[in-house]
Every structure is written in C-alpha cells, then in structure tokens.
Amino acid sequence: NAGVTQTPKFRVLKTGQSMTLLCAQDMNHEYMYWYRQDPGMGLRLIHYSVGEGTTAKGEVPDGYNVSRLKKQNFLLGLESAAPSQTSVYFCASSLGQTIMNTEAFFGQGTRLTVV
Amino acid sequence: GESVGLHLPTLSVQEGDNSIINCAYSNSASDYFIWYKQESGKGPQFIIDIRSNMDKRQGQRVTVLLNKTVKHLSLQIAATQPGDSAVYFCAESLMDSSYKLIFGSGTRLLVRP
C-alpha cells in the first residue's frame, strides 16, 4: 500500500517557467489537499478537493491551479513560477466525510526551487 | 483569520525525560485537534487526535490534553527517545469545514543523549 505518492521529489525552475506536481493516493480517499511549507513555518493550504471533479481555494491559492480529473489524482500547476513559490509542497488525502475522518495522510513532499 | 499557534519554537530535553509541547488556538468553534510529527525530509505523520468533548486522550507514550477554557492544547511524550526528535505540529479542524485542517507553525523537539 503506497499511500500518498508525490512526483517529482525535487525540481528547479527558472522564473516564468511552468510545471505540474502530481499527487496520487491509493486509499480511495475523497478529500485531497495541497499544502506548502516554508522554512520555520507550518503548512499552509493552497487548494483542496472534496471529490472528483471539484476543487476549492485554500489560504494561499494565488499563482496556483489544480485539477482533480480522477479520484486518485490531484494535480498542482504553476503557470508562471516566481521565486516566492520556492517551498516544499505536500500533498495529503483524507476520508473527510465525518469529522473523525479528518486525519490526513501526507506524501513525502516536493522541494521546489525557483531561480 | 483565526489560526493555531505554538508557544515554543524549540524544545530541548534529555533522553528519558518527559516532553511537553504546547499549542494555543484562537477559534472556540474548533471541534477536532490533531498532533502531527514531521521528521526531517518527510511529510507530517499523524500521532494522536482529540475531540472537543474530551479533555484527555492517551496513546502509546503520548497524551494529548485539551483545555477549552483557555483554548490550549498540549502533547506529552513520556520517556522521550532520540527517535522522537522532530518538528511537532498541532492542527485544528473547524466545525463548518471539518475536512480542512489549520496548522500551527510547529515546535522542534531535540532529544539530548
């Protein structure tokens, strides 16, 4: 059981380049999330999805887009990368249907550097 | 907006001692709280959770205490081990969007041998 898998694990982008981060989960979870984590800080929610075909904005959505075409996958896109988007990105998933199913399972993270 | 915060950014303890990591939350409507452990280079890992109708919950070597009067949450680790060295986050879940977790900024726990 792989859990939550993120690809790639590391990436360096030039300012203005675009890229897509892929998150895949094999736990049949309805809810998926993208967080960013900056040095010395907690995780901030970028976007989330409560089910296939649905997405919503989190705390820091600007500069990112997401898609949830399949239940098991949640894609995070950067259309025009900026140095301020240098961060570690974590994907998570949860059952989320009741409050006791809020426990989120996290991927290993993607370290993105924008130069 | 309201957020979850922590009192101490770094906590250093002697191996074998008990550790107490604190967290303050500001939203009295929060119904559910989780502690996560994050080791270097890894994603956060669930440790223990507690609902707002409880004051205390125990796991293996860990205890979470919730004081709703002062909106305070703590994680107690008994007989701290080197493997406990990590960053610990508390997270709260709001009643109107229980599937969305709001994370605090984290406390780094360092265990001295």
Side-chain angles (χ1 to χ4, degrees), chain B residues 15-32:
Chain B
E15 180 179 356
D17 288 350
N18 296 334
S19 302
I20 300 176
I21 301 172
N22 297 304
C23 175
Y25 66 95
S26 58
N27 191 342
S28 58
S30 294
D31 185 70
Y32 184 53

Side-chain angles (χ1 to χ4, degrees), chain A residues 33 37 90 99-100 102 104, chain B residues 31 36 38 51 89 98-99:
Chain A
Y33 315 83
Q37 184 177 34
F90 287 99
I99 198 166
M100 291 306 292
T102 304
Chain B
D31 185 70
Y36 281 91
Q38 186 178 25
R51 294 193 67 174
F89 294 96
S98 60
Y99 46 84

Side-chain angles (χ1 to χ4, degrees), chain B:
Chain B
E2 294 180 305
S3 63
V4 177
L6 295 174
H7 295 305
L8 299 173
T10 303
L11 176 65
S12 179
V13 299
Q14 190 72 37
E15 180 179 356
D17 288 350
N18 296 334
S19 302
I20 300 176
I21 301 172
N22 297 304
C23 175
Y25 66 95
S26 58
N27 191 342
S28 58
S30 294
D31 185 70
Y32 184 53
F33 304 88
I34 303 178
W35 279 102
Y36 281 91
K37 173 186 180 182
Q38 186 178 25
E39 295 176 283
S40 180
K42 297 183 179 180
Q45 183 177 15
F46 174 90
I47 301 173
I48 193 168
D49 59 1
I50 189 168
R51 294 193 67 174
S52 61
N53 61 353
M54 302 170 67
D55 296 322
K56 179 180 180 179
R57 191 169 188 209
Q58 288 184 295
Q60 187 175 15
R61 280 202 309 119
V62 294
T63 301
V64 56
L65 299 177
L66 177 62
N67 186 331
K68 295 181 287 295
T69 302
V70 295
K71 300 195 200 98
H72 184 267
L73 192 69
S74 68
L75 176 70
Q76 299 179 0
I77 304 174
T80 311
Q81 302 170 359
D84 295 326
S85 292
V87 177
Y88 290 81
F89 294 96
C90 64
E92 66 176 316
S93 178
L94 304 178
M95 292 185 70
D96 62 349
S97 53
S98 60
Y99 46 84
K100 286 196 298 182
L101 294 172
I102 306 298
F103 283 82
S105 57
T107 293
R108 181 175 300 280
L109 177 65
L110 299 176
V111 182
R112 304 188 303 273

Side-chain angles (χ1 to χ4, degrees), chain A residues 14-58:
Chain A
K14 293 183 179 179
T15 298
Q17 285 185 316
S18 63
M19 78 162 294
T20 301
L21 281 67
L22 171 65
C23 177
Q25 52 95 5
D26 60 3
M27 296 173 282
N28 200 35
H29 284 169
E30 289 291 336
Y31 293 71
M32 296 187 74
Y33 315 83
W34 276 107
Y35 289 89
R36 62 176 287 172
Q37 184 177 34
D38 299 306
M41 296 181 66
L43 287 81
R44 292 184 292 169
L45 184 63
I46 304 171
H47 286 280
Y48 64 98
S49 168
V50 302
E52 181 179 318
T54 71
T55 63
K57 295 180 179 180

